Amino acid sequence: MSIETPATPESSRPGKMRIVFALLPLVIFAGLAVIFWSQLDSGRDISEIPSALIGTKAPSLDMPPLEGAIFKGAPMPALTDAAIKGKLTLVNVWASWCLPCREENPIILELAKDPRLTVVGINYKDQTENALRFLGELGNPFAAVGVDPRGKAAIDWGVYGIPESYLVDASGTIVYKRVGPFDERSLKDGLYPAIEKALAGKS
């Protein structure tokens, strides 16, 4: 006499599928949480986003000046290739409506005092009067400013979000990029070593 195994009721299968679908978002969330935590726990500065432009020639600069801006008693020059040619240059992308740009401005002002460095700015999607007010209130660190009202230059430079800064060596090569405002750590661990390396001709 043979014993037949009872068939699994068809009605139980949809129930199992519902459980699988219900658990799927939880599994995905847990996986993403592990990935994000491993990045945070690694000690890496997540604002140091790698750029495909590092090690390549900087995009051409040909932007009109910020009309009405003054630098060292003279009208602010336009931001062109000639303004940075042959100089170790920090290109800072900023706007008056950007709160982190305001927080970063004192640091950019200090960097502009470094005789080894030329600091220039790309004024991103801003109003002229607001940009002038920003520089008038907080101080103007820029030897030249180019206005980028539609963000075309920012696209060429691969801007993620402002403020953003690029260190360009004397040969016109991008050697360092910073996404977000500078702070003590990013200066010490990022920008300053990049400046020293560029000056030593190791970029």
Side-chain angles (χ1 to χ4, degrees):
M1 180 177 177
S2 62
I3 300 175
E4 294 184 0
T5 304
T8 302
E10 291 294 326
S11 60
S12 69
R13 291 180 183 175
K16 289 181 180 179
M17 292 302 293
R18 279 197 296 271
I19 293 173
V20 169
F21 282 121
L23 291 176
L24 189 58
L26 182 60
V27 172
I28 293 172
F29 175 79
L32 290 173
V34 169
I35 292 171
F36 290 144
W37 176 255
S38 66
Q39 289 293 318
L40 290 172
D41 198 42
S42 68
R44 291 177 58 198
D45 187 349
I46 59 174
S47 62
E48 303 292 341
I49 299 175
S51 171
L53 293 178
I54 293 178
T56 66
K57 289 292 181 183
S60 181
L61 292 169
D62 186 17
M63 284 174 277
L66 179 61
E67 294 291 346
I70 302 296
F71 182 73
K72 294 184 177 179
M76 175 82 70
L79 184 53
T80 63
D81 291 334
I84 70 169
K85 185 177 181 181
K87 304 172 184 175
L88 181 61
T89 304
L90 186 70
V91 180
N92 180 250
V93 187
W94 63 283
S96 64
W97 46 263
C98 164
L99 290 179
C101 297
R102 290 180 170 272
E103 296 168 4
E104 180 186 55
N105 190 257
I107 294 176
I108 304 298
L109 283 167
E110 286 302 311
L111 290 171
K113 295 176 183 178
D114 189 331
R116 305 171 300 171
L117 197 62
T118 296
V119 178
V120 300
I122 295 176
N123 184 227
Y124 176 73
K125 292 187 176 181
D126 210 349
Q127 299 292 324
T128 297
E129 59 272 21
N130 294 338
L132 291 173
R133 190 178 301 113
F134 176 101
L135 297 178
E137 291 176 0
L138 303 179
N140 177 21
F142 304 114
V145 169
V147 295
D148 187 25
R150 297 182 181 177
K152 183 180 181 302
I155 291 172
D156 293 340
W157 283 77
V159 171
Y160 287 92
I162 62 171
E164 240 175 74
S165 298
Y166 301 79
L167 185 66
V168 181
D169 70 11
S171 72
T173 300
I174 296 174
V175 295
Y176 172 80
K177 175 179 180 177
R178 168 73 182 176
V179 177
F182 281 112
D183 53 24
E184 185 176 345
R185 178 180 174 184
S186 61
L187 290 173
K188 180 181 177 182
D189 298 340
L191 181 62
Y192 291 156
I195 290 174
E196 294 292 342
K197 189 176 178 181
L199 291 172
K202 297 177 182 179
S203 58

